[in-house]
Amino acid sequence: MTDNGVSIPKWGGRRALEALHQVKAMGKRNNTPCCLCGQPIDYSLPSTDPDGCSLQHIKSRKFFPDLMWVPSNWAPAHLVCNQSAGTGVKPTQVGVTSTDW
């Protein structure tokens, strides 16, 4: 993917998994609720569980591809909330950055 002539790696693979681990560790440490529904996340669940932690992009990858790999654009969300949010849905805590957790 390119944005203004700059190549942006696709979301996935080892880098995305490391990003998820980073979000999950910070969320667990700070007991951060889901950025979409505001309810607690059980960080002991695997990320594949519907109630487990997933990485939500605060500003969508589709509309803000240049922020895809920026940690301050990541927030923890339940997997089911993340999957049902769709593109362009704003988290309940808009403006939250990884330094705020």
Side-chain angles (χ1 to χ4, degrees):
M1 177 184 312
T2 62
D3 185 46
N4 297 327
V6 177
S7 179
I8 301 170
K10 286 186 173 187
W11 185 259
R14 182 185 51 82
R15 272 183 86 182
L17 189 58
E18 288 173 0
L20 171 62
H21 289 305
Q22 181 180 343
V23 165
K24 193 170 181 177
M26 274 188 146
K28 182 178 182 179
R29 183 171 48 250
N30 297 310
N31 201 27
T32 307
C34 175
C35 70
L36 295 169
C37 74
Q39 296 300 308
I41 297 174
D42 182 348
Y43 289 97
S44 68
L45 294 173
S47 297
T48 54
D49 186 288
D51 292 323
C53 179
S54 70
L55 186 151
Q56 173 70 32
H57 288 88
I58 297 168
K59 293 188 176 184
S60 80
R61 293 184 295 157
K62 180 177 180 179
F63 297 116
F64 301 93
D66 54 320
L67 298 178
M68 184 181 331
W69 293 104
V70 178
S72 63
N73 190 44
W74 304 339
H78 295 110
L79 178 60
V80 69
C81 293
N82 193 332
Q83 290 173 335
S84 64
T87 303
V89 173
K90 296 185 180 189
T92 57
Q93 298 176 347
V94 172
V96 169
T97 65
S98 61
T99 57
D100 292 329
W101 330 329

